[in-house]
Amino acid sequence: SISAASAKADFAIYPNPARDIVYIQNKNQVSEYRVYDVAGKQVAQWFSNVESGFSIANLENGLYIVKAGSSAVGVKFVKQ
């Protein structure tokens, strides 16, 4: 089995850092994304099964982690 330390998310977020909108590029058909702040609090939830953009205009500036589906592995992005 793969260890959590070496696990890598199978999607990408761009641009990073971002201001108003982030786009998710995913090889798999994931329909749910959860956004967490650095304290681990879920601050947003996005639904899409295609490559699409999501507004981050309502988020405070800072570091966030996005997790796809039920995955424990996340991708970090910075809101400016």
Side-chain angles (χ1 to χ4, degrees):
S1 72
I2 188 165
S3 72
S6 65
K8 184 175 182 299
D10 56 2
F11 66 97
I13 295 177
Y14 63 94
N16 190 3
R19 293 187 188 279
D20 299 316
I21 294 178
V22 293
Y23 296 90
I24 295 181
Q25 184 175 32
N26 197 335
K27 293 180 274 194
N28 299 325
Q29 293 293 318
V30 175
S31 59
E32 177 195 16
Y33 297 92
R34 299 174 318 284
V35 184
Y36 297 91
D37 63 16
V38 290
K41 178 182 173 213
Q42 184 173 324
V43 295
Q45 189 171 23
W46 304 326
F47 295 95
S48 175
N49 58 5
V50 295
E51 186 173 337
S52 52
F54 299 99
S55 173
I56 58 168
N58 61 330
L59 297 179
E60 298 290 325
N61 290 356
L63 178 66
Y64 293 90
I65 300 160
V66 178
K67 295 182 179 178
S70 59
S71 175
V73 180
V75 172
K76 296 176 185 174
F77 77 91
V78 174
K79 160 81 187 314
Q80 290 185 330

